[in-house]
């Protein structure tokens, strides 16, 4: 029922607002205000879309979305909720104003309800609108991530680029969208957990973080490359399957464009990986290395990093 879907999304929004504004920093308050306004606007559009559909068809069932205006409004509403281009402006700003743990929730768990609604209504969405937004997201996520120095903003644009990959395949193979989303969630969670362990918010602190826990920096590099989609890491699987599916649907041009746009993302992941493992920070006389800590990494981080690096050989089992 559409009303229940709307209520669920509203509860979701209200639940995360205190988490964003928890630190009482002006930037956190600004982030929570921006988040509230965009999510409220998206929920209103969603309600309007379902009411329009009910007006014309007499149906409140989620799977019975038939009216073209409703389909277009729904595509726009959920795109705002997810942060697809051109409705992406709120997302990097909100992430920049939140703590790393809240960022993790916003970039992964909070995307699940809108993706589920997309999955349920995939047959009745507007294909041209969705495909153009998907390619624009992949392009803008790559371009905008290039000149960022804040790790949270880099991950925000990385998220926008990955949403582009999920949206382009949604109409042709919704199950593939879900697989991509789960693998993306896993890898991004691993990265956020690592950043949280080393308490890293800027690229310059990544450079100095390798002295704290050297093995973790190496794992961080591999996880980043997995997120970039390099074989033989887990992140290669969704990209490979999506390009294969697009080629089957004779959308070779779209597949070529989106594959080339992922190179932009690869560039900034490589830069992060380079900063994390290969760069030595400047050694001034007054510069002190951070002490190597024997702080143990929690089990969640180790599990997620292992999965986000080594899952590719299991892909036939996952797809079966």
């Amino acid at each position: 029922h559409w009303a229940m879907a709307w209520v669920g999304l509203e509860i979701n929004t209200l639940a995360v607002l205190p988490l964003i504004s928890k630190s009482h920093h002006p930037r956190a308050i600004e982030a929570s205000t921006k988040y509230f306004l965009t999510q409220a606007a998206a929920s209103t559009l969603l309600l309007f879309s379902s009411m329009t559909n009910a007006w014309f068809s007499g149906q409140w069932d989620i799977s019975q979305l038939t009216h073209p205006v409703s389909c277009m409004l729904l595509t726009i509403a959920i795109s705002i909720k997810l942060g697809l281009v051109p409705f992406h402006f709120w997302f990097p700003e909100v992430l920049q104003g939140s703590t790393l743990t809240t960022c993790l929730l916003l970039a992964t768990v909070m995307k699940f309800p809108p993706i589920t609604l997309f999955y349920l209504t995939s047959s009745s969405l507007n294909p041209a609108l969705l495909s153009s937004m998907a390619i624009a997201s992949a392009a803008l996520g790559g371009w905008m991530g290039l000149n960022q120095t804040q790790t949270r903003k880099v991950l925000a644009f990385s998220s926008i680029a990955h949403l582009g990959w999920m949206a382009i395949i949604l109409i042709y193979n919704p199950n593939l969208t879900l697989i991509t989303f789960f693998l993306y969630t896993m890898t991004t969670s691993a990265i956020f957990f690592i950043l949280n362990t080393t308490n890293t918010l800027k690229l310059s602190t990544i450079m100095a973080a390798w002295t704290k826990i050297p093995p973790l920096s190496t794992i961080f590099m591999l996880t980043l490359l997995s997120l970039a989609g390099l074989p033989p890491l887990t992140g290669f699987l969704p990209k490979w399957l999506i390009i294969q599916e697009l080629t089957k649907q004779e959308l070779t041009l779209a597949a070529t464009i989106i594959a080339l746009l992922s190179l932009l993302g690869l560039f900034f992941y490589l830069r992060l990986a380079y900063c994390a493992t290969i760069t030595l920070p400047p050694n001034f006389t007054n510069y002190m290395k951070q002490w190597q800590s024997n702080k143990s990494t929690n089990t969640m981080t180790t599990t997620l990093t292992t999965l986000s690096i080594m899952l590719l050989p299991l892909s036939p089992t996952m797809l079966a």
Side-chain angles (χ1 to χ4, degrees):
H1 197 286
W2 272 118
M4 288 308 291
W6 174 77
V7 168
L9 288 170
E10 284 297 297
I11 292 171
N12 209 355
T13 305
L14 293 174
V16 90
L17 281 173
L19 292 175
I20 304 175
S21 56
K22 180 177 64 177
S23 63
H24 296 300
H25 188 275
R27 183 165 269 172
I29 304 299
E30 181 193 345
S32 52
T33 312
K34 282 178 178 168
Y35 184 75
F36 173 72
L37 291 173
T38 46
Q39 298 296 316
S43 295
T44 313
L45 260 181
L46 183 109
L47 199 58
F48 183 52
S49 142
S50 50
M51 281 169 71
T52 313
N53 190 59
W55 185 266
F56 283 103
S57 67
Q59 288 278 359
W60 279 97
D61 190 0
I62 287 186
S63 53
Q64 302 291 326
L65 195 71
T66 47
H67 197 261
V69 177
S70 299
C71 295
M72 197 177 77
L73 281 174
L74 177 83
T75 312
I76 293 172
I78 297 188
S79 302
I80 298 175
K81 279 217 166 277
L82 286 171
L84 276 171
V85 174
F87 312 108
H88 64 283
F89 297 102
W90 62 273
F91 191 55
E93 300 297 324
V94 169
L95 250 63
Q96 187 55 34
S98 316
T99 60
L100 280 169
T101 319
T102 313
C103 286
L104 165 67
L105 286 175
L106 286 171
T108 56
V109 181
M110 300 303 289
K111 299 244 187 274
F112 188 55
I115 289 267
T116 312
L117 282 179
F118 256 170
Y119 178 78
L120 291 172
T121 55
S122 58
S123 53
S124 54
L125 293 172
N126 189 323
L129 180 64
L130 204 58
S131 300
S132 50
M133 285 200 306
I135 288 178
S137 298
L140 193 123
W143 279 119
M144 297 288 283
L146 292 178
N147 61 349
Q148 300 298 334
T149 55
Q150 301 279 341
T151 49
R152 285 171 293 184
K153 277 204 171 171
V154 168
L155 285 165
F157 287 115
S158 135
S159 176
I160 292 169
H162 276 86
L163 282 169
W165 280 86
M166 291 173 216
I168 199 158
I169 202 67
L170 182 69
I171 296 165
Y172 309 106
N173 191 341
N175 292 334
L176 207 47
T177 300
L178 278 190
I179 290 177
T180 312
F181 177 71
F182 289 134
L183 291 177
Y184 155 78
T185 300
M186 195 171 63
T187 319
T188 308
S189 305
I191 287 178
F192 271 117
F193 276 123
I194 293 172
L195 291 176
N196 211 8
T197 309
T198 54
N199 199 11
T200 310
L201 297 175
K202 293 200 292 288
L203 281 185
S204 51
T205 35
I206 287 189
M207 293 182 193
W210 70 273
T211 51
K212 274 188 189 172
I213 314 176
L216 196 63
S217 295
T218 316
I219 296 289
F220 182 46
M221 178 185 76
L222 286 171
T223 316
L224 279 168
L225 294 180
S226 174
L227 196 59
L230 284 188
L233 304 165
T234 311
F236 175 59
L237 174 66
K239 288 193 162 75
W240 173 30
L241 293 173
I242 287 172
I243 289 174
Q244 188 185 4
E245 184 67 33
L246 286 173
T247 320
K248 273 187 199 164
Q249 301 286 345
E250 295 179 3
L251 294 163
T252 323
L253 182 65
T256 312
I257 292 172
I258 204 161
L260 287 172
L261 289 173
S262 72
L263 290 174
L264 292 167
L266 176 62
F267 181 82
F268 64 74
Y269 294 124
L270 275 174
R271 193 177 64 173
L272 273 172
Y274 181 79
C275 286
T277 49
I278 306 168
T279 336
L280 283 175
N283 271 320
F284 303 120
T285 42
N286 61 353
Y287 172 81
M288 279 179 66
K289 276 189 181 167
Q290 290 169 311
W291 284 98
Q292 186 164 336
S293 63
N294 292 328
K295 189 167 122 184
S296 60
T297 318
N298 64 16
T299 324
M300 194 72 175
T301 312
T302 43
T303 314
L304 285 169
T305 45
T306 312
L307 287 174
S308 52
I309 294 168
M310 298 183 177
L311 221 59
L312 191 65
L314 288 177
S315 49
T317 324
M318 285 160 59
L319 299 172

